[in-house]
Amino acid sequence: MTRSTIELPVTADDYRIARYAAAAIALTVAEAALPSPLPGIKPGLANIIVLVVLARYGWRDAAWVSLLRVVAGSLVIGQFLAPGFFLALSGAVCSLAVLALAQHLPPRFFGPVSASVLAAFAHIGGQLALARVWLVPHDGVFYLLPLFATAALVFGAINGLVAARLLEAPVTASAALKGVS
Amino acid sequence: MKHSVPDGLRELLAQAVGAGHAPWRTLLKPGDWALLLAAGVLVATSYPLLWRGGTADRAIVKRDGQVVTELALNVARKYEVIGAIGTTLIEVQPGRARVLSDPGPRQYCVLQGWLTRANAVAICAPNHVTLQLAGRGGRNEAYDTLNY
């Protein structure tokens, strides 16, 4: 094998983001195997990783993990550039925007559960907005809003609890290296 | 049964159910409870608000009271109905429908413009043609019929 002549400098940050992104992608792929009663209703387990990264390393890292997860996850499950990819991307961008605001909530009163629920609503909002503009050009999509909102609330709360539990554990060097603790 | 579970598995199960951890509720801060409650109320109120079947999903075209066709309001298309005195042209666009042209002398159904709500109706009486929108469900509709 010819040695690559291109040397890309890789920082510790890159390794960390890549490991967390890998964990998020694994969850995305595992989740794709779950049957869903309605297209769009999914637990969104990868968001647990995003929440953990947000709490530990800040919004920039969380954004990297989230967007890498959307792009690489869709490549793995064969959805890249399909409508589902754009819906996921729109949801991820909206939830990152909300998380950027939510991270400034006073930590004394608000934990990962609040961030998770808010992000879940933003996620579904972003997806529905894109679906309304692009895929279903009339208000029929909003009939499903109560169902989507219920799913966002339930899964957002559960994911937030799992993230809170993970964040509760002290971060060790090996846990940080493995990407999940 | 219990003694047959291997130690490793038992440990794993204990971890899965949260043994040795603080209970779940300690992970929730006061603001989290408030936010969950507010979100729950918001979601609950969204059910009747958005589920009343106000918007239409198909157009029903009738001639002499007999259904000629049902057009889904998903895609834009045009449909011609031969009536008593000529041809009525129906136009459908995503989420709405109208009578584009009609041979009737007073053009009431054409002037009515776009129909968007479930059960809105445009009647082209001289040509014996009606265009009516229908929503999903059918029982809990907001209106029996809409005319202008």
Side-chain angles (χ1 to χ4, degrees):
Chain A
M1 202 176 90
T2 319
R3 252 185 80 87
S4 170
T5 52
I6 304 163
E7 285 293 329
L8 293 171
V10 183
T11 64
D13 280 10
D14 296 339
Y15 278 120
R16 194 181 60 232
I17 289 170
R19 287 195 175 98
Y20 278 111
I25 292 160
L27 287 174
T28 303
V29 174
E31 195 176 80
L34 292 176
S36 167
L38 253 179
I41 293 192
K42 280 185 181 181
L45 298 173
N47 297 319
I48 296 170
I49 307 293
V50 176
L51 287 165
V52 169
V53 174
L54 178 75
R56 282 197 186 143
Y57 306 105
W59 186 82
R60 190 183 148 275
D61 282 25
W64 269 112
V65 169
S66 172
L67 296 175
L68 279 171
R69 193 275 298 179
V70 171
V71 174
S74 70
L75 279 172
V76 174
I77 57 176
Q79 283 267 319
F80 186 56
L81 298 187
F85 164 76
F86 291 104
L87 291 177
L89 185 63
S90 163
V93 167
C94 286
S95 72
L96 283 172
V98 165
L99 284 176
L101 300 173
Q103 65 175 343
H104 297 300
L105 286 170
R108 234 186 110 220
F109 298 108
F110 294 95
V113 176
S114 291
S116 180
V117 169
L118 290 173
F121 278 121
H123 210 105
I124 215 69
Q127 292 196 30
L128 271 182
L130 184 67
R132 168 68 181 82
V133 170
W134 180 40
L135 295 174
V136 189
H138 64 92
D139 288 337
V141 278
F142 294 118
Y143 276 116
L144 298 173
L145 188 76
L147 290 182
F148 286 138
T150 308
L153 178 59
V154 171
F155 291 132
I158 292 171
N159 289 348
L161 282 169
V162 174
R165 165 68 52 94
L166 289 175
L167 287 165
E168 203 190 31
V171 64
T172 61
S174 72
L177 278 179
K178 271 192 284 180
V180 285
S181 52
Chain B
M1 249 340 256
K2 208 169 185 181
H3 61 268
S4 67
V5 179
D7 277 352
L9 187 58
R10 193 180 303 164
E11 201 177 312
L12 207 72
L13 284 171
Q15 199 138 42
V17 296
H21 284 284
W24 285 106
R25 67 189 134 73
T26 59
L27 300 171
L28 287 163
K29 295 176 182 177
D32 294 335
W33 283 113
L35 192 119
L36 282 176
L37 195 73
V41 169
L42 217 69
V43 169
T45 50
S46 79
Y47 272 84
L49 210 81
L50 286 151
W51 227 315
R52 14 162 230 219
T55 37
D57 64 355
R58 62 189 192 280
I60 299 166
V61 181
K62 290 183 186 173
R63 199 207 153 208
D64 292 320
Q66 305 293 311
V67 176
V68 179
T69 187
E70 285 195 15
L71 307 165
L73 300 187
N74 296 332
V75 280
R77 61 173 294 188
K78 285 174 186 163
Y79 187 85
E80 284 184 356
V81 204
I82 316 275
I85 57 166
T87 305
T88 299
L89 184 58
I90 311 276
E91 184 180 11
V92 170
Q93 278 188 3
R96 59 184 190 168
R98 69 172 169 179
V99 178
L100 190 60
S101 69
D102 179 73
R106 281 169 292 275
Q107 300 284 300
Y108 287 141
C109 58
V110 179
L111 293 171
Q112 210 171 318
W114 289 105
L115 309 181
T116 55
R117 304 292 304 258
N119 294 323
V121 66
I123 300 168
C124 303
N127 207 21
H128 300 192
V129 172
T130 65
L131 166 69
Q132 182 167 19
L133 299 195
R136 63 186 68 215
R139 261 168 300 164
N140 50 355
E141 304 281 12
Y143 308 100
D144 288 339
T145 176
L146 284 173
N147 279 286
Y148 308 97

